Amino acid sequence: MPELPEVETIARELRPLFEGRTITGAWFDWPRQVKRPTPEQFVEQIRGRTVLSVDRRAKWIVVSLTGQEGADTIGDEAVLAIQVKMTGYLHVVPIGSASDRHVHFIFTLDDGNELRMRDPRKFGRMGLYRRDEAGTVLGAGETGDLFAAFGPEPLDDAFTLGDFRKRIRRRKARLKTLLMDQGFIAGVGNIYADEALWRSRLHPLRSGAALDAHQERELYESVRAVLSEGIERRGSSIDSYRAPAGAGNMQHFLNVYGRTGLPCPRCGRPTRRIVVGARSTHFCSWCQRLPQRERTPGTDKMLAEMR
């Protein structure tokens, strides 16, 4: 699943290709991709709108659109929200370019190009939503905030170390599980959680509430540093992730993720793998030690199955 750096890269590379363009038509062959409104209404209500901006919230691409004269459900300005999920690949190509059976939606643009999403596993989703007067993107039924369930953006200047400390001190969950909780902070997934924990020398099975002030700072700074590096390197092209301009290269600079059995770049000992919350978790058992006081029968069982 693309994480914050990958989705941010998609938004940044889509921006110069999509902003300012008017959507002249839309085509789908997989109706379940459309979350709101119905696919037929979606096609009708997005036609004729011009793209104002392309941004990101958590793992969503958020496209602001102008109004559409005569629209019944979506008012003046609208928001196109897209989740590429596991195998979605957004790209802009000239109309008539070669395609294949894995392209399941196409937006035609007024400059002679098309925005397409190639999605072999059909996990990608999108919807058309309305903003209220305060700028909030309204959810289903045009009530509440579409993104209310997400925690703060970890790279936002407004998200300070003090904010991080207040949040983590209330949480007893294991660090790996906590970092991947989108309600705790937004956008971190399996890859960057493992990398942040390695950088901060914290074991993935440690409790959030058990960290001291120094460890809280190390984790906060490590999360921000690894996400920033991931963006600079255009994301990790592991499995099927591609941005509009092609593959990223962060995968060549990962320290532990996917490196089971390979030497830890810091100490040279083998990288280990356990399963936490049904997700593969990679760490160095020497650099990232689990204190005896935090060991439980559950953690001992996980470590006994360590590879």
Side-chain angles (χ1 to χ4, degrees):
M1 176 82 78
E3 303 177 31
L4 186 156
E6 288 75 43
V7 180
E8 179 67 25
T9 300
I10 293 170
R12 290 185 181 189
E13 295 184 358
L14 195 59
R15 194 168 294 146
L17 304 172
F18 203 28
E19 281 186 351
R21 302 272 58 87
T22 297
I23 299 170
T24 59
W27 169 89
F28 289 86
D29 72 351
W30 186 247
R32 290 178 61 184
Q33 280 191 320
V34 181
K35 295 173 65 72
R36 181 184 183 277
T38 67
E40 294 77 14
Q41 290 173 326
F42 182 100
V43 170
E44 186 62 31
Q45 292 177 17
I46 203 167
R47 186 183 295 117
R49 296 183 186 271
T50 299
V51 177
L52 297 172
S53 63
V54 181
D55 300 295
R56 177 196 56 78
R57 176 67 171 112
K59 300 177 185 179
W60 290 67
I61 296 162
V62 182
V63 181
S64 295
L65 304 167
T66 60
Q68 181 197 50
E69 185 177 354
D72 294 328
T73 306
I74 304 296
D76 293 332
E77 289 191 13
V79 170
L80 168 64
I82 303 173
Q83 291 176 293
V84 295
K85 295 205 171 179
M86 189 175 292
T87 61
Y89 167 40
L90 286 168
H91 56 299
V92 176
V93 297
I95 292 174
S97 297
S99 186
D100 64 45
R101 64 188 179 89
H102 297 304
V103 172
H104 298 296
F105 92 71
I106 297 174
F107 292 153
T108 54
L109 309 178
D110 64 344
D111 63 351
N113 289 320
E114 294 176 340
L115 172 65
R116 299 177 179 178
M117 185 158 76
R118 189 178 189 275
D119 190 6
R121 298 190 69 176
K122 300 180 181 178
F123 289 156
R125 296 292 183 266
M126 66 182 64
L128 198 58
Y129 301 89
R130 187 174 67 84
R131 289 188 191 273
D132 64 13
E133 293 181 356
T136 301
V137 181
L138 301 177
E142 298 197 350
T143 60
D145 183 349
L146 177 65
F147 303 118
F150 294 113
E153 289 288 332
L155 295 180
D156 195 319
D157 290 340
F159 183 58
T160 66
L161 174 59
D163 296 326
F164 182 73
R165 282 179 165 151
K166 289 177 184 177
R167 299 180 75 83
I168 201 167
R169 288 176 180 178
R170 300 196 298 261
R171 306 294 290 270
K172 295 182 180 180
R174 296 176 177 127
L175 290 179
K176 176 61 182 287
T177 303
L178 186 58
L179 290 179
M180 293 181 61
D181 179 353
Q182 299 303 293
F184 177 64
I185 54 175
V188 180
N190 210 24
I191 298 172
Y192 297 98
D194 282 358
E195 292 296 307
L197 290 170
W198 180 85
R199 291 186 184 213
S200 54
R201 296 175 180 261
L202 294 171
H203 197 285
L205 296 182
R206 293 204 63 180
S207 165
L211 304 185
D212 61 31
H214 173 72
Q215 291 166 335
E216 290 169 349
R217 177 183 289 275
E218 287 292 309
L219 183 55
Y220 168 79
E221 292 179 349
S222 294
V223 168
R224 288 167 63 92
V226 74
L227 292 175
S228 295
E229 182 181 348
I231 293 170
E232 290 174 7
R233 300 189 185 282
R234 301 183 54 258
S236 300
S237 284
I238 297 172
D239 297 328
S240 59
Y241 161 72
R242 296 291 184 275
N249 66 353
M250 183 63 181
Q251 67 274 15
H252 301 303
F253 298 89
L254 299 177
N255 292 294
V256 286
Y257 181 83
R259 289 175 50 85
T260 305
L262 297 176
C264 167
R266 194 160 44 210
C267 72
R269 291 172 173 81
T271 300
R272 301 300 186 185
R273 175 185 174 275
I274 57 176
V275 177
V276 180
R279 304 300 297 272
S280 292
T281 299
H282 309 83
F283 66 103
C284 173
S285 58
W286 181 263
C287 295
Q288 300 167 256
R289 300 196 186 190
L290 181 64
Q292 187 63 39
R293 66 181 180 277
E294 293 192 52
R295 296 180 73 104
T296 66
T299 61
D300 287 344
K301 181 180 179 181
M302 288 185 186
L303 295 175
E305 298 171 350
M306 184 169 61
R307 297 179 184 176

